[in-house]
Amino acid sequence: MAHLFNRNVLLGVSGGIAAYKSAELVRQLQELGANVRVIMTRGAQEFITPLTLQALSSNPVHTELLDEYAEMGMGHIELARWADLLLIAPATADLIARLSTGRADDLLSTVALATAAPLMLAPAMNQQMWKDPATTANIGTLSVRGARIIGPAAGQQACGDVGLGRMEEPSTIAGAAASLFENSQLAGKRIMITAGPTREALDPVRYISNNSSGKMGYALAAAAVDAGAITTLVSGPVALAPPDRIRFLSVQSAEQMLQQCIELLPECDIFIGCAAVADYRPAKVENQKIKKAQNEMTLQLVRNPDIVSAVAANKYRPYTVGFAAETNNVVAYARDKMQRKGLDMMVANDVSNQTIGFNSDNNAVTVLWRDGEKILELASKASIAQHIVHLIAHQTRKNN
Ligand code: PMT
């Protein structure tokens, strides 16, 4: 089912009798998981009070463009940036006309110009106004620019007329908003992703670890869940909040990570090993804090199990994807690693570049599979993750 979890919906309410239905629309959007903020035009406030929509949305309602106080907090540009969707319901004939000519003469029309988010309109007006060629032309202009138009519906109108012009029902509008974000490339697939570093204890207070922040693996988990996958994230210790709608398992060491992953393999169709697993761990973990006795200290390390290889060799073998962190000959070494570890896909990550890879917000990678590869240029980890998920969906469909 389509949903709006984690989506920021900016609801614009303009001045028509259908504005009273906005209260129910706020509730319906929230039920689908959306964060809702509301902008009301002056006309809308004649039909329903900002206080009602403030109480329902649990956020202050925005009404003025030139509001010193609001501009200190969430001003019009912040609102425009915050929105994943600008939904205007009801959208009156006047507002539609102003939007079609690019006017910015109140807060709602200004935000509509300032936002890069998709625009969805639920028109509501008298049936004759809807039929008027001016409205038809304005709607045509907005549609060509990419606005989605929901309704209007036909029926008895508040003015007594019968015809097309009633605002669509809130449940229909909320459903249409949710379907905008629907992405079912991995619908029903069970995906497990490892992320972050592992910590290999030396004593009760010390450990060996690395700089992985978990950002890449967490972005993959968010992209997988957005693509409809039933997602499990097995994470080493990081400072990130887990994405919503996933099963989250927190581990410390490579051995714990291996155990969790192998235990869950019978329920897994796709595995992505993004974690920076420590290759070695101390041969002995001291029960007490190690004392400084001498000037030098020798640590004996032993090899950790290779998780991604163990997954690829398991009898429940899923489609298995690894990440290769390399500093030179990146693609050649990554392809070799993919073959040695028996993987279906390898994401080659140049970690010699400080602006990508470990602990950065961006990445640039080459994704390799048996008979192909794809370069993903510098982009946010969220965007790289969406591309990787898309490539996995494509390759797994080809293999079936
Ligand atoms: O977490 P971030 O700060 O966002 O950084 C992301 C990242 C740089 C950690 C990530 O993009 C990445 O490259 N992860 C793989 C890091 C790594 O361990 O690479 P490797 O080349 O050493 O290992 C190859 C593959 O084997 C990896 O899939 C790794 O998870 C796996 N491996 C390695 C060792 C081991 N003992 N078990 C494993 O499963």
Side-chain angles (χ1 to χ4, degrees):
M1 196 187 102
H3 54 71
L4 287 163
F5 281 114
N6 275 348
R7 300 291 180 188
N8 294 337
V9 178
L10 187 54
L11 175 63
V13 183
S14 61
I17 181 64
Y20 81 91
K21 289 190 185 171
S22 312
E24 176 59 15
L25 181 54
V26 169
R27 218 183 51 76
Q28 297 266 352
L29 292 167
Q30 286 173 329
E31 258 174 34
L32 290 176
N35 310 310
V36 183
R37 288 181 178 270
V38 181
I39 296 179
M40 296 179 80
T41 64
R42 216 161 270 172
Q45 296 167 61
E46 300 292 333
F47 293 94
I48 181 169
T49 67
L51 195 59
T52 306
L53 297 183
Q54 176 174 310
L56 287 168
S57 67
S58 310
N59 280 311
V61 168
H62 304 264
T63 56
E64 299 301 327
L65 177 57
L66 303 174
D67 178 339
E68 238 174 76
Y69 184 71
E71 290 298 313
M72 276 163 36
M74 196 166 254
H76 66 281
I77 296 300
E78 274 77 15
L79 276 173
R81 286 190 186 137
W82 175 84
D84 293 319
L85 169 67
L86 174 58
L87 167 64
I88 304 184
T92 60
D94 172 65
L95 184 80
I96 288 167
R98 285 192 288 123
L99 294 181
S100 75
T101 54
R103 297 288 295 262
D105 47 11
D106 65 1
L107 179 60
L108 184 51
S109 53
T110 304
V111 169
L113 272 187
T115 189
L119 172 65
M120 183 175 268
L121 301 170
M125 65 198 73
N126 166 268
Q127 52 87 25
Q128 192 57 48
M129 291 169 79
W130 175 250
K131 272 197 281 194
D132 191 277
T135 304
T136 307
N138 293 336
I139 286 285
T141 304
L142 290 169
S143 301
V144 168
R145 283 188 210 143
R148 272 72 157 192
I149 313 295
I150 309 303
Q156 181 86 34
Q157 300 204 282
C159 56
D161 281 6
V162 176
L164 271 179
R166 284 165 61 97
M167 187 172 94
E168 268 296 0
E169 289 308 313
S171 57
T172 307
I173 299 171
S179 68
L180 260 192
F181 297 100
E182 202 166 32
N183 161 1
S184 54
Q185 297 176 83
L186 289 178
K189 292 282 181 203
R190 299 161 304 175
I191 189 162
M192 179 161 37
I193 298 165
T194 65
T198 61
R199 274 184 192 171
E200 310 299 331
L202 270 168
D203 70 15
V205 293
R206 300 188 182 94
Y207 52 81
I208 299 173
S209 191
N210 60 64
N211 283 335
S212 169
S213 62
K215 286 177 189 170
M216 191 66 242
Y218 280 49
L220 282 164
V225 91
D226 277 350
I230 301 156
T231 306
T232 302
L233 179 61
V234 182
S235 175
V238 297
L240 302 174
D244 284 340
R245 299 175 280 136
I246 61 159
R247 173 162 58 168
F248 181 73
L249 299 163
S250 164
V251 295
Q252 297 283 320
S253 66
E255 286 182 307
Q256 286 170 0
M257 190 174 268
L258 174 73
Q259 195 197 333
Q260 278 293 2
C261 293
I262 297 297
E263 226 167 73
L264 296 172
L265 268 196
E267 305 164 24
C268 175
D269 302 308
I270 298 164
F271 178 87
I272 310 180
C274 182
V277 184
D279 288 320
Y280 292 90
R281 67 178 185 277
K284 185 165 186 287
V285 184
E286 299 296 340
N287 288 331
Q288 308 297 331
K289 187 179 168 207
I290 301 167
K291 292 279 174 216
K292 308 192 269 288
Q294 293 122 7
N295 283 340
E296 287 183 4
M297 178 182 164
T298 306
L299 262 185
Q300 200 189 348
L301 302 176
V302 292
R303 273 298 281 271
N304 260 332
D306 192 300
I307 299 170
V308 84
S309 303
V311 166
N314 193 276
K315 67 173 172 174
Y316 295 108
R317 186 187 195 284
Y319 184 87
T320 310
V321 182
F323 269 69
E326 306 290 349
T327 51
N328 59 325
N329 285 339
V330 176
V331 172
Y333 284 164
R335 193 168 278 286
D336 178 58
K337 225 177 232 180
M338 175 170 83
Q339 276 150 9
R340 273 192 290 114
K341 295 193 182 219
L343 311 185
D344 298 293
M345 186 181 271
M346 190 60 127
V347 181
N349 210 164
D350 180 354
V351 291
S352 67
N353 181 345
Q354 301 279 304
T355 61
I356 60 173
F358 281 95
N359 202 14
S360 60
D361 290 331
N362 298 323
N363 212 350
V365 298
T366 304
V367 184
L368 312 170
W369 56 94
R370 196 165 49 83
D371 52 359
E373 64 182 62
K374 169 118 183 131
I375 296 172
L376 302 179
E377 308 278 3
L378 181 68
S380 67
K381 283 186 173 167
S383 166
I384 296 283
Q386 284 159 7
H387 279 95
I388 292 172
V389 162
H390 175 74
L391 288 170
I392 292 172
H394 188 70
Q395 289 302 318
T396 51
R397 265 200 307 274
K398 252 182 26 188
N399 290 357
N400 283 334

